[in-house]
Amino acid sequence: SWFSSDRPYGVITPCRRLVLCAENRKEMEEWIAALKSVQNREHFESTQFSMDHFSGMHNWYACSHARPTYCNVCREALSGVTSHGLSCEVCKFKAHKRCAVRATNNCKWTTLASIGKDILEDEDGISMPHQWLEGNLPVSAKCTVCDKTCGSVLRLQDCRCLWCKAMVHAGCKDQLSPKCPLGQCKVSVIPPTALNSIDSDGFWKATCPPTCTSPLLVFVNSKSGDNQGVKFLRRFKQLLNPAQVFDLMNGGPHLGLRLFQKFDTFRILVCGGDGSVGWVLSEIDALTLHKQCQLGVLPLGTGNDLARVLGWGSACDDDTQLPQILEKLERASTKMLDRWSIMVYETKLPRQHSSSTVQHILTYEDSVAAHLSKILTSDQHSVVISSAKVLCETVKDFVAKVGRAYEKNTENSEESEAMAKKVSCDWLSDESLFCDWLLEGLECSVIG
Ligand SMILES: [Zn+2]
Ligand SMILES: [Zn+2]
Ligand SMILES: [Zn+2]
Ligand SMILES: [Zn+2]
């Protein structure tokens, strides 16, 4: 987690607090990305899971707000006219820079364990409660229960559910059904209640509840487009369970696919270019998941031929359209595609053949030429007949030799290459022409 006060920048990690200095924001973001990737790799190697997904830690970024905004830790207003402070990019929890270290790890739930004691349990089994975040509601907020305006610009007041987006007065909350309906994208959302334990072999147990008919895995290439990947990554985590959204640039497709490979069926959405799609498809092949999952493409950046062919357009740059895009994806029909492997072999260029091979071929050539000319010029019937006979023997012999040379191609590529080259370059390649010569010669001799 990090914040900026123009410069220097502070970085808060689970273990310590660092202060880094950088020339500008861009440079700082590169430092942060590097630090995060190192941190993730350590976790990945030690636990095989990206702890980013399951720690409950907020993902802070520094920002200003257009209207009065209140700290979810100390409840005081954020500083200045622009309400400058930290905001969590997933759940929009707000905090003063000084308060961020005291914020509890209560970001958007990912697993059953992260819901904790709030879990609902009745005769039908367990179900998911609303996850309320207090205050900072949008201007036109209306209470789901009483339909009157709610929220306040004067204090941290009333709440919003991070999943179904319902907004309620604090006093009306108890009249609302405690079960969260998960909202607009509920078909795609994998509720945290479904991710209740990890097998000893490191997969989620496949226990998707009936509401989640078609769980969706989202792979975003955060480097796609002009910073669009990052925007989409953030927006998907807001709409879905953050545990079903993966950054291809942070660990690739392997982790996500492995975690979900025990689900009977699931859909995959790849946000990026053709390269990203190919990467995910290869991993699906490697894990032999192609019978369990279907893949859709949300084209970002350039190089989106596949998305164009499938009718998703060549580029999508509006992250506010994501709920509609997810709905379209739920209704989409599937097409089978062939995937071709193109194998490229490096071969040696044909070598100069040895003089003995050349001599051998020249002998045939000489013999053929001599007998052909005899056939064409001789006026003696017996000479023509005998020459034709020798000519046929010679050709037969030559063809047999070429055949043998091909058979032992691997043992003696030099000879076969020489033969093949000769065959293709010279008279035998045009069989009909050769026969014409022969016939012409025989006819001449008959006339003669
Ligand atoms: Zn505060
Ligand atoms: Zn958060
Ligand atoms: Zn809810
Ligand atoms: Zn109300």
Side-chain angles (χ1 to χ4, degrees), residues 91-92 131-133 137-138 158-162 165-167:
C91 71
K92 298 182 181 169
Q131 184 177 9
W132 300 112
L133 180 67
L137 303 188
D158 304 329
C159 355
R160 180 175 53 93
C161 174
L162 297 179
K165 314 293 178 198
M167 291 177 279

Side-chain angles (χ1 to χ4, degrees), residues 61 75 112 137 230 366:
Y61 69 105
R75 309 183 71 87
L112 187 69
L137 303 188
V230 176
D366 287 346

Side-chain angles (χ1 to χ4, degrees), residues 56-60 88-93 106-108 162:
M57 278 171 58
H58 295 288
N59 291 274
W60 301 119
C88 172
E89 66 174 23
V90 176
C91 71
K92 298 182 181 169
F93 190 98
N106 58 352
C107 196
K108 201 170 179 184
L162 297 179

Side-chain angles (χ1 to χ4, degrees), residues 21 28 34 46 55 58 60 73 92 142 214 220 229 232 235 240 243 263 271 289 306 410 442:
C21 297
M28 194 62 212
S46 59
S55 64
H58 295 288
W60 301 119
V73 180
K92 298 182 181 169
K142 280 237 168 84
S214 184
V220 182
F232 277 77
R235 189 69 77 160
L240 305 169
F263 279 61
C271 309
L289 295 173
L306 184 61
T410 49
L442 287 169

Side-chain angles (χ1 to χ4, degrees), residues 231-304:
K231 263 194 333 192
F232 277 77
L233 199 60
R234 182 184 301 168
R235 189 69 77 160
F236 274 119
K237 286 181 182 174
Q238 290 167 5
L239 283 171
L240 305 169
N241 183 338
Q244 68 191 102
V245 183
F246 296 86
D247 181 1
L248 280 176
M249 288 298 116
N250 186 2
H254 185 80
L255 173 72
L257 290 174
R258 238 179 68 91
L259 277 174
F260 288 87
Q261 80 181 87
K262 288 209 175 160
F263 279 61
D264 290 336
T265 58
F266 55 94
R267 292 171 303 140
I268 293 170
L269 180 63
V270 180
C271 309
D274 289 342
S276 305
V277 178
W279 192 8
V280 175
L281 285 174
S282 299
E283 197 63 39
I284 289 172
D285 282 349
L287 294 167
T288 56
L289 295 173
H290 58 280
K291 291 209 173 87
Q292 280 158 267
C293 61
Q294 297 152 0
L295 183 140
V297 184
L298 183 65
L300 296 183
T302 53
N304 300 310

Side-chain angles (χ1 to χ4, degrees), residues 24-91:
N24 53 47
R25 189 189 168 98
K26 185 174 173 291
E27 194 182 317
M28 194 62 212
E29 293 202 330
E30 283 167 10
W31 270 103
I32 299 295
L35 283 172
K36 273 193 172 177
S37 75
V38 168
Q39 192 184 344
N40 288 335
R41 190 154 302 124
E42 277 171 7
H43 279 125
F44 185 78
E45 277 165 9
S46 59
T47 67
Q48 291 292 303
F49 296 114
S50 163
M51 294 315 286
D52 254 12
H53 276 100
F54 312 117
S55 64
M57 278 171 58
H58 295 288
N59 291 274
W60 301 119
Y61 69 105
C63 69
S64 301
H65 301 85
R67 52 201 299 266
T69 302
Y70 297 87
C71 174
N72 283 101
V73 180
C74 72
R75 309 183 71 87
E76 298 294 319
L78 294 185
S79 24
V81 189
T82 58
S83 286
H84 197 77
L86 301 184
S87 179
C88 172
E89 66 174 23
V90 176
C91 71

Side-chain angles (χ1 to χ4, degrees), residues 138-351:
V139 188
S140 54
K142 280 237 168 84
C143 174
T144 310
V145 175
C146 69
D147 207 34
K148 293 189 180 122
T149 51
C150 66
S152 169
V153 290
L154 301 173
R155 65 189 72 82
L156 200 69
Q157 183 183 302
D158 304 329
C159 355
R160 180 175 53 93
C161 174
L162 297 179
W163 297 84
C164 66
K165 314 293 178 198
M167 291 177 279
V168 288
H169 291 111
C172 295
K173 211 161 76 173
D174 291 343
Q175 296 169 53
L176 195 69
S177 162
K179 287 186 189 177
C180 180
L182 296 174
Q184 199 179 0
C185 304
K186 64 167 179 288
V187 180
S188 301
V189 172
I190 300 175
T193 47
L195 303 181
N196 58 2
S197 64
I198 291 173
D199 284 357
S200 53
D201 52 0
F203 310 108
W204 293 114
K205 281 182 185 157
T207 51
C208 231
T211 52
C212 178
T213 51
S214 184
L216 181 74
L217 250 68
V218 181
F219 292 102
V220 182
N221 179 354
S222 59
K223 294 274 186 286
S224 266
D226 186 17
N227 206 34
Q228 277 161 9
V230 176
K231 263 194 333 192
F232 277 77
L233 199 60
R234 182 184 301 168
R235 189 69 77 160
F236 274 119
K237 286 181 182 174
Q238 290 167 5
L239 283 171
L240 305 169
N241 183 338
Q244 68 191 102
V245 183
F246 296 86
D247 181 1
L248 280 176
M249 288 298 116
N250 186 2
H254 185 80
L255 173 72
L257 290 174
R258 238 179 68 91
L259 277 174
F260 288 87
Q261 80 181 87
K262 288 209 175 160
F263 279 61
D264 290 336
T265 58
F266 55 94
R267 292 171 303 140
I268 293 170
L269 180 63
V270 180
C271 309
D274 289 342
S276 305
V277 178
W279 192 8
V280 175
L281 285 174
S282 299
E283 197 63 39
I284 289 172
D285 282 349
L287 294 167
T288 56
L289 295 173
H290 58 280
K291 291 209 173 87
Q292 280 158 267
C293 61
Q294 297 152 0
L295 183 140
V297 184
L298 183 65
L300 296 183
T302 53
N304 300 310
D305 292 336
L306 184 61
R308 228 192 322 263
V309 167
L310 293 174
W312 295 108
S314 62
C316 173
D317 53 10
D318 188 0
D319 60 320
T320 61
Q321 291 298 306
L322 282 191
Q324 288 83 343
I325 289 169
L326 287 179
E327 278 178 0
K328 265 197 208 166
L329 195 73
E330 282 159 14
R331 294 193 308 266
S333 58
T334 53
K335 283 195 178 81
M336 296 295 284
L337 287 186
D338 287 325
R339 290 228 309 139
W340 294 91
S341 295
I342 298 176
M343 290 187 267
V344 179
Y345 296 102
E346 237 179 72
T347 55
K348 280 178 245 148
L349 288 168
R351 280 167 296 175

Side-chain angles (χ1 to χ4, degrees), residues 348 351 405 408-418:
K348 280 178 245 148
R351 280 167 296 175
K408 54 177 185 179
N409 185 20
T410 49
E411 298 160 31
N412 191 351
S413 61
E414 191 183 341
E415 190 178 9
S416 69
E417 271 169 24

